[in-house]
Amino acid sequence: MADDKLQDDSLVKAHLRNHERLAMLRAPWESVWQEIDERVNPLGGGGWNKTTQQVRGAGNFDVTAVESLDRFGAAMAAITVPFQTQYIRPRFADKDLDKLPSVRRWCERAGDRLYAIRYAPHTGFRVQSGEDMRQLGSYGTGPLWSGERKGVGLFYKSLHLSECYFDEDFSGQIDTVHRRYERSARQLEQEFGRDALTPKMREALEKNQLDTKFEILHVVCPNGDLQPGVMDRRGMPVDSIHIAIAEKVILRRSGFHSMPISVSRHVTGPGDIYGRSPAVKVLPTIKGVNAMQQTLLRSAHKLVDPALAFYDDDGITSLVTKPGGANPGLVGPRGELLVQPMPTGSQLPIGLEMVEQERAVIRTAFLEDFFKILTDPGDRMTATQVLEMVAKQGVLVAPYAGRYETEKQNPVTQRDLELAMRAGQVETFPPEVLEAGAWPMIDYDNPLSRMARAEEAAGLTRWIEAMTPMAQVDPGVFDHIDTDTAAPGLADVLGVRPSWIATPDKVAQKRQAREQANASAAGVDQLATGAGAYLDIAKANQIAEAA
């Protein structure tokens, strides 16, 4: 049965009271999120209503928002966590330390290793990051759990918002997560072991009632009784408690060296703990488009299959409306039709135009104008034009990029690094780092970060283009450019791998070799010129002697 040494009634009651408070804070949002599921994200509806198995979203008459959410999730994943390129760049805040070749090589190898670990097939990161982006687009809040599985290794799981409750620290960052979920007796035995279960859970197992459900509250919060240097959970900054809600019993109490559940939010308003999504922003428009589309469908149906009008139904027993159908007796003596379609007065073109205008509002809210840059051809633009376009588009997502990096990417990657180093999957720090007692920061060299920095590269290229006409008068104008600084800086903005950039020593060796080659070529030219001169003199002397 549950370990009596773990039990702390006052602690359990305190966490349950706090959970009631967090549930009250979340309650006003739940009806909005459920409506969003119906209109925007039918796949997410099962999180709120687990008992009803039904086709969700069947009542929609317009799927613009559903399609926009799909594109939003795919595009956000492509520009923030791109599978095709290695985007994790560890570095150190001490610039002198960061410039050391051994440190730079460690940073590159560590980044490559973290990328390989993250995208190993068993981690599920590609699938779960896509689900996380969909939650950001639909609800505005996305919790992602990263943990370790014995015998398997690192894994990622996007937690549905229906089972998560949050609280902020003094700086506005999410530092407390309550996860309330249901598990069967069989699943609880797998997760905690039979010895940790409550009497009711063990009774369900003994009676072979394996599918009996129990509610569990997992509390992840700062360790209020941190004791540095202690090797068990008391020395870990993050506390973890699993509570059986009905019986108010602790099933497991442990800890983490880093926060295992990272929560990002799309945008927040004053006093908001939960984020506001593109779907929340334009929910009235989404509902309006559905109503308008329903009206248009009904109007089009009337135009295609209109109601019929006739003066007198005497003798008219039935109408045959199928193709090729015969309707005798419906033509008057002068050839006029006795049955006419009812005029509807529908203005479909105006209705379609209005619907398209409203759809454009929805697409803009889901950043589709920005994401067009991923597919628009750039083969007819110069490098400067491409950089300028990227810089302008990057302004649109800069607020979301900064928040996502702070609240999601950095905590997840720092946790990955901590777990990987503890498991020996990333090599130890170089001696210089150990001596300095430093810990790396993480930069993200993804398309989104490059868009944010593209203005730097665009400014350099515009400067060079502006000076090109001046160079025809005075070639020395380019002496104002510090190419030794600009070249590697431009490579950094464009996302060139550090190992592809020559070190200052290699650059100096190349220049020295080029100077020696130029000197040798000049010497050969001088010898050839001198030999030619001697030959000319000899020929002149021969001509003089012959004369």
Side-chain angles (χ1 to χ4, degrees):
M1 59 181 297
D3 190 348
D4 292 336
K5 295 180 181 179
L6 288 178
Q7 305 312 311
D8 186 334
D9 291 342
S10 61
L11 179 67
V12 171
K13 291 178 180 179
H15 279 305
L16 291 178
R17 283 196 304 270
N18 189 40
H19 180 70
E20 291 179 1
R21 179 183 67 86
L22 297 182
M24 291 177 61
L25 291 175
R26 198 190 78 168
W29 291 93
E30 294 176 3
S31 60
V32 178
W33 293 335
Q34 292 182 52
E35 188 167 12
I36 286 174
D37 276 340
E38 179 65 23
R39 299 297 184 188
V40 182
N41 184 25
L43 294 177
W48 303 102
N49 190 355
K50 301 178 177 63
T51 59
T52 303
Q53 298 297 324
Q54 60 183 4
V55 178
R56 303 180 181 92
N60 287 334
F61 292 90
D62 186 87
V63 295
T64 302
V66 178
E67 293 177 345
S68 294
L69 176 62
D70 290 339
R71 287 192 286 267
F72 176 89
M76 281 293 288
I79 64 175
T80 55
V81 286
F83 171 69
Q84 300 84 356
T85 57
Q86 203 289 82
Y87 56 89
I88 302 173
R89 299 282 188 266
R91 69 175 179 87
F92 290 89
D94 187 334
K95 293 184 178 180
D96 293 331
L97 181 66
D98 199 51
K99 289 179 181 178
L100 296 177
S102 60
V103 174
R104 291 184 66 85
R105 285 194 295 269
W106 180 90
C107 288
E108 183 172 353
R109 290 195 297 269
D112 290 344
R113 185 61 184 147
L114 288 173
Y115 176 82
I117 293 172
R118 173 172 292 182
Y119 286 96
H122 67 270
T123 67
F125 182 80
R126 292 186 67 185
V127 175
Q128 298 304 320
S129 62
E131 292 297 320
D132 182 54
M133 295 299 179
R134 286 180 61 88
Q135 290 206 91
L136 280 179
S138 54
Y139 309 131
T141 306
L144 183 69
W145 174 25
S146 54
E148 292 180 291
R149 186 182 302 156
K150 290 184 179 180
V152 178
L154 193 66
F155 73 90
Y156 302 88
K157 172 65 176 174
S158 176
L159 302 177
H160 195 268
L161 195 56
S162 60
E163 61 184 35
C164 295
Y165 306 77
F166 311 118
D167 204 0
E168 294 179 331
D169 63 12
F170 73 96
S171 65
Q173 299 298 311
I174 300 293
D175 70 339
T176 298
V177 177
H178 283 203
R179 184 186 176 207
R180 184 170 184 163
Y181 61 95
E182 280 189 346
R183 290 290 183 270
S184 67
R186 181 180 66 87
Q187 292 169 332
L188 290 172
E189 182 183 21
Q190 293 172 342
E191 183 175 1
F192 299 103
R194 182 176 289 240
D195 293 339
L197 301 185
T198 68
K200 289 185 179 180
M201 295 173 184
R202 292 168 60 87
E203 182 182 357
L205 292 173
E206 292 167 0
K207 293 182 178 180
N208 203 30
Q209 298 172 347
L210 304 182
D211 293 333
T212 304
K213 298 289 185 179
F214 297 89
E215 270 199 315
I216 307 299
L217 178 64
H218 183 198
V219 179
V220 182
C221 61
N223 187 351
D225 189 26
L226 182 62
Q227 302 177 33
V230 178
M231 300 303 294
D232 59 17
R233 63 166 183 80
R234 294 171 296 173
M236 299 181 183
V238 182
D239 208 356
S240 172
I241 305 173
H242 289 80
I243 301 173
I245 295 177
E247 298 174 81
K248 298 180 175 58
V249 172
I250 296 176
L251 299 180
R252 176 188 295 163
R253 188 171 186 187
S254 57
F256 300 101
H257 292 281
S258 54
M259 185 64 173
I261 302 175
S262 302
V263 183
S264 58
R265 295 163 290 182
H266 190 65
V267 293
T268 55
D272 286 346
I273 294 179
Y274 296 89
R276 297 174 184 263
S277 66
V280 171
K281 179 180 178 182
V282 293
L283 183 57
T285 303
I286 294 170
K287 294 163 66 176
V289 168
N290 269 282
M292 294 167 66
Q293 185 69 359
Q294 182 181 11
T295 301
L296 286 174
L297 289 172
R298 188 166 57 248
S299 298
H301 191 187
K302 289 179 179 179
L303 287 175
V304 175
D305 190 11
L308 301 178
F310 42 88
Y311 174 72
D312 190 350
D313 65 351
D314 184 31
I316 301 176
T317 58
S318 63
L319 291 174
V320 181
T321 58
K322 66 180 181 180
N327 288 280
L330 297 186
V331 180
R334 292 185 296 273
E336 72 277 12
L337 290 175
L338 300 181
V339 178
Q340 297 285 349
M342 286 283 291
T344 64
S346 299
Q347 297 291 333
L348 278 182
I350 297 177
L352 291 172
E353 182 179 350
M354 292 178 63
V355 167
E356 193 56 38
Q357 290 175 354
E358 296 299 289
R359 286 172 174 169
V361 173
I362 296 172
R363 296 187 183 107
T364 299
F366 281 93
L367 302 178
E368 288 199 33
D369 291 341
F370 162 70
F371 293 136
K372 286 180 181 178
I373 195 172
L374 300 176
T375 55
D376 283 349
D379 55 349
R380 293 180 298 276
M381 292 188 289
T382 65
T384 302
Q385 290 173 328
V386 171
L387 288 170
E388 289 180 349
M389 181 183 67
V390 169
K392 292 176 181 177
Q393 296 286 352
V395 171
L396 297 175
V397 293
Y400 316 122
R403 179 180 286 275
Y404 186 77
E405 181 175 322
T406 300
E407 295 185 341
K408 180 62 62 68
Q409 288 212 76
N410 193 61
V412 170
T413 309
Q414 288 288 357
R415 176 162 172 77
D416 291 351
L417 177 60
E418 178 243 319
L419 294 177
M421 294 196 72
R422 289 181 180 279
Q425 294 180 305
V426 172
E427 62 186 87
T428 58
F429 292 134
E432 299 88 344
V433 175
L434 294 174
E435 183 179 354
W439 184 266
M441 305 168 63
I442 306 293
D443 287 340
Y444 300 96
D445 190 19
N446 52 29
L448 192 57
S449 65
R450 289 199 290 273
M451 286 178 184
R453 294 182 294 158
E455 183 61 30
E456 301 175 19
L460 176 63
T461 56
R462 283 196 301 267
W463 187 30
I464 295 174
E465 287 184 357
M467 290 194 300
T468 299
M470 300 170 60
Q472 297 177 2
V473 179
D474 179 12
V477 70
F478 285 121
D479 293 340
H480 291 280
I481 301 176
D482 186 355
T483 55
D484 285 342
T485 302
L490 184 61
D492 181 61
V493 171
L494 296 177
V496 179
R497 290 178 64 90
S499 59
W500 296 354
I501 304 173
T503 63
D505 293 340
K506 290 184 178 180
V507 172
Q509 293 174 3
K510 291 179 180 180
R511 289 175 176 173
Q512 184 178 3
R514 186 164 57 249
E515 290 174 358
Q516 292 176 351
N518 291 337
S520 300
V524 172
D525 290 342
Q526 291 176 357
L527 291 175
T529 301
Y534 285 125
L535 181 60
D536 291 341
I537 293 173
K539 289 181 178 179
N541 290 335
Q542 291 177 355
I543 294 173
E545 291 175 358

